[in-house]
Structures are given as C-alpha cells and as structure tokens.
Amino acid sequence: MRGQILFEESRPGEAISAHQKAVEYKPDAPLLRINLAHAMIETHEQDQLPLAVDQLKRAVALEPDNSMGWRLMAQALASQGKEGEARLASAEYYFALGRSDQANQFAMRARDMLDRNTIEWRRATDIVLSSGATQKDIEDAERRNQQRTSRGVIISNP
C-alpha cells in the first residue's frame, strides 16, 4: 500500500523499497511484482530496466494472461533497445487481450528481429499460428522479408 501511494505521488524511486518488501512477503503474487517493476521503469534509470524485466518475467510466468505485465515488459525491453523481444512482449499483450490481428502483426515483426534458434522466436511463431495464420502464410511472409532485405525492395513474383 505504501509503495502504491508513493508511486501515485510521482515518487517511483521511493516506492521501490516498499514494493520490494511486499514481494518478499508474498513472492507468488504477480500484481506485487508488476507494481515493483512499474516503479522501477518509471525511475527512468537504465540500471533498473533489467531488474524490472526480471520481475515482469516472473509475474507473467505466474499469470500469463496479465496484459499489464506484458505491456510494461514491452516498454522496458524497448527502452533497452531489445526491439525483437519488445515486439514479442507486445504480441503477448495483444494475445492476452484476445486481439489476434494485432498479436499476429507484432509476432511477425518479432520473428523478423529474433534469432531463429531461440525460444522467443518459437513463441512468436506459436502466436502467429494460433492467430489463424497458416504455415504457408508464414513462409510467404519470410520470403517477402528476405527479398526486401536482400535487394532493398520487394521483388514481384514472375
């Protein structure tokens, strides 16, 4: 409660210690971890961002459909320059909201930015497929993207 009051008074740095105590008291409460991460992000201190992402990953592992956790994670990852992971977190955000078109768009963008040999890339693919795309749709998009990056423009099919 104290942490939330401090946060709402635009004192996120001071709110962190109160939120940390709440997480220590109840580590399996995703909302407490999200509140802590939110305060960390709002300090606008780069060294707080990895800590915030860690808290958010723990929160969404406990509650995968928590859209606020995914939105904040996308924000923190983008602030760190981790664009592929940020796009995936945005896809998860829209997926949690049931907005499959937007989830698909962000997941496709994430796939273009992430290394194919990662669990994040596979999760982005899962979101694309669960959003109604087919394997052929994915292959067509990959082909177009490859053409775009290798030539600088999209080449039409003969």
Side-chain angles (χ1 to χ4, degrees):
M1 180 100 139
R2 184 175 195 282
Q4 192 61 32
I5 291 169
L6 290 168
F7 182 81
E8 289 177 9
E9 290 179 350
S10 299
R11 296 162 54 190
E14 295 174 55
I16 290 173
S17 62
H19 284 308
Q20 285 172 326
K21 287 179 186 173
V23 168
E24 288 171 14
Y25 179 72
K26 198 161 173 113
D28 292 334
L31 182 58
L32 297 179
R33 290 187 180 277
I34 289 169
N35 287 343
L36 171 58
H38 198 183
M40 291 172 162
I41 292 167
E42 290 302 317
T43 65
H44 303 288
E45 296 174 10
Q46 287 295 315
D47 63 328
Q48 291 293 322
L49 295 174
L51 301 171
V53 170
D54 180 60
Q55 292 299 324
L56 291 165
K57 285 182 179 180
R58 291 172 185 226
V60 297
L62 294 167
E63 196 173 274
D65 61 345
N66 189 309
S67 60
M68 179 66 145
W70 290 116
R71 187 187 65 75
L72 289 171
M73 191 178 316
Q75 179 183 345
L77 290 165
S79 295
Q80 294 179 81
K82 297 179 178 180
E83 294 301 325
E85 292 177 53
R87 297 296 189 282
L88 176 58
S90 292
E92 294 280 9
Y93 166 74
Y94 285 111
F95 191 76
L97 292 175
R99 296 172 61 186
S100 61
D101 287 347
Q102 290 89 349
N104 183 29
Q105 290 172 5
F106 277 96
M108 289 296 284
R109 290 180 197 149
R111 289 178 81 249
D112 291 342
M113 299 172 150
L114 296 167
D115 180 0
R116 271 186 178 272
N117 298 318
T118 62
I119 194 163
E120 291 84 5
W121 186 88
R122 286 189 288 272
R123 177 61 185 153
T125 302
D126 288 345
I127 292 172
V128 170
L129 291 172
S130 67
S131 297
T134 66
Q135 187 63 37
K136 183 179 181 322
D137 295 332
I138 291 173
E139 291 166 2
D140 289 346
E142 286 176 348
R143 180 184 41 74
R144 286 190 305 273
N145 191 46
Q146 187 176 27
Q147 290 172 339
R148 188 178 303 118
T149 57
S150 67
R151 306 248 196 269
V153 295
I154 298 175
I155 301 169
S156 61
N157 288 333

Tab-separated table of all heavy atoms in Angstrom, residues 31-58:
chain	number	residue	atom	x	y	z
A	31	LEU	N	0.771	-9.417	-9.161
A	31	LEU	CA	0.478	-7.989	-9.131
A	31	LEU	C	1.526	-7.214	-8.331
A	31	LEU	O	1.913	-6.102	-8.712
A	31	LEU	CB	-0.917	-7.723	-8.567
A	31	LEU	CG	-1.350	-6.261	-8.542
A	31	LEU	CD1	-1.319	-5.654	-9.946
A	31	LEU	CD2	-2.734	-6.133	-7.943
A	32	LEU	N	2.022	-7.799	-7.257
A	32	LEU	CA	3.050	-7.123	-6.468
A	32	LEU	C	4.340	-6.979	-7.266
A	32	LEU	O	5.003	-5.937	-7.211
A	32	LEU	CB	3.300	-7.882	-5.163
A	32	LEU	CG	2.110	-7.963	-4.203
A	32	LEU	CD1	2.481	-8.767	-2.964
A	32	LEU	CD2	1.595	-6.579	-3.841
A	33	ARG	N	4.687	-8.007	-8.030
A	33	ARG	CA	5.881	-7.943	-8.878
A	33	ARG	C	5.691	-6.908	-9.999
A	33	ARG	O	6.621	-6.184	-10.343
A	33	ARG	CB	6.202	-9.303	-9.463
A	33	ARG	CG	6.701	-10.296	-8.422
A	33	ARG	CD	7.180	-11.593	-9.046
A	33	ARG	NE	7.651	-12.508	-8.033
A	33	ARG	CZ	8.870	-12.488	-7.491
A	33	ARG	NH1	9.740	-11.578	-7.882
A	33	ARG	NH2	9.216	-13.366	-6.577
A	34	ILE	N	4.500	-6.848	-10.546
A	34	ILE	CA	4.213	-5.868	-11.602
A	34	ILE	C	4.307	-4.452	-11.049
A	34	ILE	O	4.884	-3.560	-11.685
A	34	ILE	CB	2.842	-6.150	-12.245
A	34	ILE	CG1	2.937	-7.440	-13.081
A	34	ILE	CG2	2.368	-4.977	-13.087
A	34	ILE	CD1	1.609	-7.982	-13.555
A	35	ASN	N	3.790	-4.224	-9.848
A	35	ASN	CA	3.886	-2.904	-9.227
A	35	ASN	C	5.344	-2.514	-8.996
A	35	ASN	O	5.732	-1.367	-9.230
A	35	ASN	CB	3.116	-2.864	-7.908
A	35	ASN	CG	1.620	-2.859	-8.107
A	35	ASN	OD1	1.121	-2.579	-9.190
A	35	ASN	ND2	0.890	-3.186	-7.053
A	36	LEU	N	6.156	-3.472	-8.533
A	36	LEU	CA	7.578	-3.209	-8.324
A	36	LEU	C	8.245	-2.851	-9.648
A	36	LEU	O	8.974	-1.857	-9.742
A	36	LEU	CB	8.251	-4.431	-7.691
A	36	LEU	CG	9.779	-4.408	-7.603
A	36	LEU	CD1	10.268	-3.195	-6.820
A	36	LEU	CD2	10.278	-5.719	-6.974
A	37	ALA	N	7.985	-3.636	-10.671
A	37	ALA	CA	8.588	-3.379	-11.985
A	37	ALA	C	8.148	-2.028	-12.538
A	37	ALA	O	8.963	-1.296	-13.114
A	37	ALA	CB	8.208	-4.503	-12.950
A	38	HIS	N	6.886	-1.697	-12.362
A	38	HIS	CA	6.375	-0.413	-12.857
A	38	HIS	C	7.120	0.745	-12.201
A	38	HIS	O	7.524	1.706	-12.875
A	38	HIS	CB	4.879	-0.328	-12.599
A	38	HIS	CG	4.184	0.700	-13.421
A	38	HIS	ND1	2.853	0.966	-13.274
A	38	HIS	CD2	4.606	1.552	-14.380
A	38	HIS	CE1	2.487	1.916	-14.111
A	38	HIS	NE2	3.556	2.300	-14.793
A	39	ALA	N	7.329	0.655	-10.898
A	39	ALA	CA	8.081	1.706	-10.197
A	39	ALA	C	9.514	1.775	-10.731
A	39	ALA	O	10.048	2.872	-10.947
A	39	ALA	CB	8.072	1.441	-8.693
A	40	MET	N	10.128	0.621	-10.970
A	40	MET	CA	11.499	0.598	-11.496
A	40	MET	C	11.572	1.265	-12.868
A	40	MET	O	12.486	2.050	-13.143
A	40	MET	CB	12.003	-0.841	-11.595
A	40	MET	CG	12.237	-1.492	-10.270
A	40	MET	SD	12.599	-3.254	-10.485
A	40	MET	CE	13.351	-3.620	-8.912
A	41	ILE	N	10.614	0.967	-13.722
A	41	ILE	CA	10.585	1.549	-15.066
A	41	ILE	C	10.409	3.064	-14.989
A	41	ILE	O	11.075	3.817	-15.702
A	41	ILE	CB	9.466	0.910	-15.914
A	41	ILE	CG1	9.796	-0.554	-16.218
A	41	ILE	CG2	9.229	1.696	-17.199
A	41	ILE	CD1	8.633	-1.356	-16.765
A	42	GLU	N	9.528	3.505	-14.120
A	42	GLU	CA	9.202	4.932	-14.028
A	42	GLU	C	10.313	5.775	-13.412
A	42	GLU	O	10.248	7.005	-13.470
A	42	GLU	CB	7.889	5.136	-13.283
A	42	GLU	CG	6.683	4.660	-14.068
A	42	GLU	CD	6.536	5.327	-15.429
A	42	GLU	OE1	6.727	6.554	-15.527
A	42	GLU	OE2	6.248	4.608	-16.409
A	43	THR	N	11.352	5.144	-12.865
A	43	THR	CA	12.501	5.927	-12.396
A	43	THR	C	13.295	6.457	-13.579
A	43	THR	O	14.076	7.403	-13.426
A	43	THR	CB	13.451	5.094	-11.514
A	43	THR	OG1	14.039	4.054	-12.301
A	43	THR	CG2	12.747	4.547	-10.284
A	44	HIS	N	13.129	5.836	-14.752
A	44	HIS	CA	13.863	6.197	-15.965
A	44	HIS	C	15.376	6.022	-15.795
A	44	HIS	O	16.160	6.719	-16.431
A	44	HIS	CB	13.529	7.617	-16.434
A	44	HIS	CG	12.071	7.817	-16.680
A	44	HIS	ND1	11.421	7.252	-17.766
A	44	HIS	CD2	11.129	8.471	-15.976
A	44	HIS	CE1	10.145	7.568	-17.710
A	44	HIS	NE2	9.932	8.305	-16.640
A	45	GLU	N	15.749	5.081	-14.933
A	45	GLU	CA	17.159	4.756	-14.727
A	45	GLU	C	17.456	3.454	-15.462
A	45	GLU	O	16.812	2.431	-15.210
A	45	GLU	CB	17.460	4.611	-13.238
A	45	GLU	CG	17.272	5.907	-12.462
A	45	GLU	CD	17.418	5.744	-10.950
A	45	GLU	OE1	17.850	4.652	-10.501
A	45	GLU	OE2	17.076	6.689	-10.239
A	46	GLN	N	18.421	3.508	-16.371
A	46	GLN	CA	18.732	2.345	-17.211
A	46	GLN	C	19.086	1.112	-16.390
A	46	GLN	O	18.752	-0.001	-16.797
A	46	GLN	CB	19.872	2.671	-18.181
A	46	GLN	CG	19.462	3.586	-19.318
A	46	GLN	CD	18.442	2.937	-20.238
A	46	GLN	OE1	18.567	1.792	-20.636
A	46	GLN	NE2	17.402	3.680	-20.565
A	47	ASP	N	19.747	1.267	-15.260
A	47	ASP	CA	20.139	0.103	-14.463
A	47	ASP	C	18.938	-0.586	-13.808
A	47	ASP	O	19.045	-1.738	-13.373
A	47	ASP	CB	21.189	0.476	-13.417
A	47	ASP	CG	20.683	1.480	-12.393
A	47	ASP	OD1	19.837	2.333	-12.731
A	47	ASP	OD2	21.153	1.413	-11.231
A	48	GLN	N	17.805	0.084	-13.753
A	48	GLN	CA	16.599	-0.520	-13.175
A	48	GLN	C	15.847	-1.396	-14.187
A	48	GLN	O	15.065	-2.266	-13.804
A	48	GLN	CB	15.655	0.566	-12.653
A	48	GLN	CG	16.166	1.304	-11.440
A	48	GLN	CD	16.238	0.412	-10.214
A	48	GLN	OE1	15.383	-0.440	-9.969
A	48	GLN	NE2	17.284	0.595	-9.431
A	49	LEU	N	16.073	-1.165	-15.479
A	49	LEU	CA	15.298	-1.874	-16.509
A	49	LEU	C	15.494	-3.394	-16.497
A	49	LEU	O	14.506	-4.134	-16.554
A	49	LEU	CB	15.587	-1.281	-17.883
A	49	LEU	CG	15.123	0.165	-18.060
A	49	LEU	CD1	15.590	0.711	-19.404
A	49	LEU	CD2	13.620	0.276	-17.919
A	50	PRO	N	16.727	-3.911	-16.425
A	50	PRO	CA	16.863	-5.373	-16.376
A	50	PRO	C	16.193	-5.985	-15.139
A	50	PRO	O	15.627	-7.081	-15.209
A	50	PRO	CB	18.373	-5.608	-16.345
A	50	PRO	CG	18.996	-4.351	-16.842
A	50	PRO	CD	18.027	-3.249	-16.498
A	51	LEU	N	16.241	-5.262	-14.032
A	51	LEU	CA	15.583	-5.739	-12.810
A	51	LEU	C	14.067	-5.755	-12.994
A	51	LEU	O	13.388	-6.691	-12.550
A	51	LEU	CB	15.968	-4.855	-11.628
A	51	LEU	CG	17.465	-4.761	-11.313
A	51	LEU	CD1	17.730	-3.695	-10.268
A	51	LEU	CD2	18.001	-6.110	-10.877
A	52	ALA	N	13.556	-4.732	-13.656
A	52	ALA	CA	12.113	-4.667	-13.923
A	52	ALA	C	11.696	-5.811	-14.842
A	52	ALA	O	10.677	-6.469	-14.598
A	52	ALA	CB	11.756	-3.317	-14.549
A	53	VAL	N	12.478	-6.059	-15.889
A	53	VAL	CA	12.155	-7.159	-16.816
A	53	VAL	C	12.147	-8.490	-16.071
A	53	VAL	O	11.265	-9.326	-16.288
A	53	VAL	CB	13.129	-7.185	-18.016
A	53	VAL	CG1	12.961	-8.455	-18.830
A	53	VAL	CG2	12.913	-5.952	-18.894
A	54	ASP	N	13.106	-8.682	-15.178
A	54	ASP	CA	13.142	-9.923	-14.388
A	54	ASP	C	11.863	-10.078	-13.560
A	54	ASP	O	11.260	-11.160	-13.537
A	54	ASP	CB	14.369	-9.936	-13.480
A	54	ASP	CG	14.443	-11.195	-12.641
A	54	ASP	OD1	14.500	-12.303	-13.242
A	54	ASP	OD2	14.433	-11.094	-11.393
A	55	GLN	N	11.432	-9.010	-12.916
A	55	GLN	CA	10.196	-9.068	-12.125
A	55	GLN	C	8.989	-9.354	-13.011
A	55	GLN	O	8.097	-10.131	-12.650
A	55	GLN	CB	9.995	-7.759	-11.355
A	55	GLN	CG	10.993	-7.530	-10.260
A	55	GLN	CD	10.956	-8.596	-9.179
A	55	GLN	OE1	9.902	-9.123	-8.808
A	55	GLN	NE2	12.115	-8.947	-8.668
A	56	LEU	N	8.961	-8.738	-14.183
A	56	LEU	CA	7.824	-8.939	-15.087
A	56	LEU	C	7.800	-10.356	-15.648
A	56	LEU	O	6.728	-10.951	-15.786
A	56	LEU	CB	7.871	-7.900	-16.208
A	56	LEU	CG	7.598	-6.476	-15.733
A	56	LEU	CD1	8.018	-5.467	-16.779
A	56	LEU	CD2	6.135	-6.305	-15.346
A	57	LYS	N	8.965	-10.909	-15.956
A	57	LYS	CA	9.011	-12.299	-16.431
A	57	LYS	C	8.473	-13.251	-15.374
A	57	LYS	O	7.743	-14.194	-15.686
A	57	LYS	CB	10.432	-12.684	-16.827
A	57	LYS	CG	10.861	-12.090	-18.155
A	57	LYS	CD	12.260	-12.524	-18.534
A	57	LYS	CE	12.653	-11.943	-19.884
A	57	LYS	NZ	14.020	-12.352	-20.276
A	58	ARG	N	8.833	-12.995	-14.134
A	58	ARG	CA	8.318	-13.835	-13.043
A	58	ARG	C	6.801	-13.673	-12.911
A	58	ARG	O	6.085	-14.638	-12.681
A	58	ARG	CB	9.005	-13.465	-11.733
A	58	ARG	CG	10.463	-13.857	-11.701
A	58	ARG	CD	11.130	-13.304	-10.461
A	58	ARG	NE	12.543	-13.564	-10.457
A	58	ARG	CZ	13.198	-14.029	-9.406
A	58	ARG	NH1	12.556	-14.273	-8.274
A	58	ARG	NH2	14.486	-14.230	-9.478
